[in-house]
Amino acid sequence: MPHSLSLWSFSFLLFSFTFFFLPIPTLQTTLISPVSKDKSTHLFTLSVYLKTPLQPTKLFLDLGFLFPWTLCDSKYKSSSYRYVDCDRTFCYSLGFGGPQCSNCTETGLPDPNCNIENRICGAFPENSVTRVLDFDAALIDTLALPSADVSTKTHLVSLLNYTFSCAHSSLLRGLPKGVTGLASLSRYNLSIPNQISSALSVTNTFAVCFPGSSKSTGVAFFGSKGPYYAFSENSKIDLSKSLIYTPLVVNPDGIGDYVISYPYNPPSYEYFINLTSVRINGQNVPINASLLRIDHDNFFGIGGTKFSSNTPYTRLESSIYKSFTKLFVKEAASSRFNLTTVSSPIKPFSVCYAARSVKVASVGPVVPTIDLELGGKKGVVWRIVGANSMVKIKNKKNNKLDLWCLGFVDNGVNKKTSIVIGAKQLEENLMQFDIGSNKLGFTSLLNSSLKCGNFNVTDFAKN
Ligand SMILES: *[C@@H]1O[C@H](CO)[C@@H](O)[C@H](O)[C@H]1NC(C)=O
Ligand SMILES: *[C@@H]1O[C@H](CO)[C@@H](O)[C@H](O)[C@H]1NC(C)=O
Ligand SMILES: *[C@@H]1O[C@H](CO)[C@@H](O)[C@H](O)[C@H]1NC(C)=O
Ligand SMILES: *[C@@H]1O[C@H](CO)[C@@H](O)[C@H](O)[C@H]1NC(C)=O
Ligand SMILES: *[C@@H]1O[C@H](CO)[C@@H](O)[C@H](O)[C@H]1NC(C)=O
Ligand SMILES: *[C@@H]1O[C@H](CO)[C@@H](O)[C@H](O)[C@H]1NC(C)=O
Ligand SMILES: *[C@@H]1O[C@H](CO)[C@@H](O)[C@H](O)[C@H]1NC(C)=O
Ligand SMILES: CC(=O)N[C@H]1CO[C@H](CO)[C@@H](O)[C@@H]1O
């Protein structure tokens, strides 16, 4: 059984890196990484450079899993990688899920110096989509990302001590085609934003814009609270100025977030927000309020609302799903929209309309707006319009009647988190995760002339 993560020792490790080994702190450094949408899984990828010499690498972008991992097989060629010598306490403190030592024969890495007597730190990487767990080695190698600084346009900034887990190719099953690992953007110490922040002494903040189409490219900015420049009609717009803020809530109970289990209960490293009510076309969705709160009483952290980039559509607890869809259907039937559901919706959805009966405007299908009201300052609302609520389905049956379906799914009962906001609902929003001060900044919608593609980032790791 994997053991727990010891955080004090890990901070000690970073502490020593920070104060004794760091290169001279740079000026304001914003790193930029392309974000793309996978056509078949509807999940997102992040492009980075890895190894020596640097190789463009596509990773599955995950807001939730603890630490990054990468395929280490016979094709892993790099002159700069190294294992971490095993000392049980040290491996434990590294934070890859246990004090287990591994040996070099357990990874697929070709290692001419492999001596099975050389014990190295192990790691427990996990596929957050399929929830499959692996055991492999912890590895250190070079990660590099382009700098946003215009004066150094083609300049790459390197992290020489990027620390991640190796994984076997079987762990890639269920992830977008072409990816060779997972890019963790969680709150955990080993996530990519956290490693960038400590290695370069920059703010522990990242922003991400998930593209709404596999034909365009979005962006992730690391190490900066702005500016985030987008380009529209010959003008340059700093979108960090349009952000509105809401607190990021820390779920005190991380239990159940990952397959790996801990003998004690660390906090969740996922991003929760304080959703207090949901309105459809201005009408309140009746929700049992206790489902929206995180219940710490029994140390299970049940309830509440989080973001997840490993589920394509928002998942709602059953009773919420029922009242949500009921109200949506009622509002959509009102004279303003005059929409009647089809009798045979396409799974996993339950509310669909014939595409020809739905008008489409610049911000997507004209349907009732969904407002998520968030805690904190009054009036903070995350508005979901048609482009983010409806999914176009090419229907092969039923006389090829194309449909627009409400892109939310029933998550059943007894799941840890009541509302899991998925990929579809995150698209074409700029979201800033300020991990250092637990704040989320967002722009409710980029409009018809401004989308994630307007950050003008080119995906250098196209398959
Ligand atoms: C990376 O780690 C090695 C070994 O611990 C250390 O010698 C080196 O200075 C570190 N480099 C950076 C840039 O932190
Ligand atoms: C190294 O790992 C292999 C594969 O898991 C295992 O069979 C072997 O016993 C290990 N060797 C040592 C010395 O621990
Ligand atoms: C609301 O949900 C809580 C937790 O699931 C449950 O204990 C309670 O009975 C529910 N209240 C109503 C009125 O349904
Ligand atoms: C509503 O739609 C139905 C058929 O979809 C149509 O017969 C009716 O005239 C429409 N009503 C209004 C007020 O547009
Ligand atoms: C969520 O917001 C409500 C209403 O503003 C507030 O009473 C509650 O304390 C907040 N919860 C958290 C966890 O911030
Ligand atoms: C889109 O949003 C940008 C930034 O908020 C604004 O400058 C622009 O005028 C908007 N365009 C339209 C068509 O609404
Ligand atoms: C950004 O991309 C758009 C569309 O491809 C192009 O028209 C514009 O010139 C680009 N702007 C900059 C500053 O690169
Ligand atoms: C260096 C660093 O960021 N360490 C943090 C790792 O995570 C723990 C628990 O969240 C923090 O207490 C440390 O400060």
Side-chain angles (χ1 to χ4, degrees), residues 424-444:
K424 175 73 193 175
Q425 281 69 44
L426 302 178
E427 289 171 0
E428 309 295 4
N429 285 282
L430 179 68
M431 301 168 74
Q432 180 195 62
F433 294 85
D434 186 338
I435 305 174
S437 39
N438 266 325
K439 246 175 28 175
L440 172 80
F442 63 97
T443 64
S444 212

Side-chain angles (χ1 to χ4, degrees), residues 282-303:
Q283 307 299 306
N284 206 37
V285 178
I287 297 175
N288 177 344
S290 69
L291 292 170
L292 297 179
R293 282 193 294 270
I294 294 169
D295 179 6
H296 183 47
D297 289 352
N298 299 311
F299 306 103
F300 287 120
I302 290 169

Side-chain angles (χ1 to χ4, degrees), residues 302-441:
I302 290 169
T305 303
K306 71 174 180 187
F307 293 114
S308 170
S309 56
N310 65 32
T311 179
Y313 310 106
T314 295
R315 292 184 267 139
L316 303 173
E317 184 275 339
S318 252
S319 71
I320 302 177
Y321 184 78
K322 285 193 184 79
S323 37
F324 178 82
T325 48
K326 190 176 165 201
L327 184 61
F328 188 90
V329 168
K330 177 168 174 265
E331 293 301 319
S334 67
S335 60
R336 183 166 155 214
F337 305 101
N338 193 24
L339 295 173
T340 310
T341 55
V342 296
S343 53
S344 46
I346 299 291
K347 278 185 181 147
F349 308 116
S350 69
V351 174
C352 296
Y353 299 95
R356 58 173 148 71
S357 64
V358 181
K359 287 194 205 83
V360 178
S362 63
V363 288
V366 180
V367 294
T369 53
I370 298 164
D371 285 337
L372 308 181
E373 299 196 357
L374 307 177
K377 284 204 196 86
K378 277 227 180 320
V380 175
V381 169
W382 177 298
R383 171 157 288 190
I384 299 173
V385 295
N388 285 107
S389 62
M390 305 302 285
V391 179
K392 183 85 176 269
I393 310 269
K394 293 255 180 228
N395 193 356
K396 303 216 169 61
K397 288 176 265 173
N398 279 347
N399 304 324
K400 299 196 162 127
L401 183 69
D402 286 353
L403 302 174
W404 279 110
C405 295
L406 180 61
F408 290 72
V409 298
D410 187 339
N411 201 25
V413 290
N414 300 327
K415 296 280 159 47
K416 182 181 173 185
T417 302
S418 304
I419 300 185
V420 181
I421 302 178
K424 175 73 193 175
Q425 281 69 44
L426 302 178
E427 289 171 0
E428 309 295 4
N429 285 282
L430 179 68
M431 301 168 74
Q432 180 195 62
F433 294 85
D434 186 338
I435 305 174
S437 39
N438 266 325
K439 246 175 28 175
L440 172 80

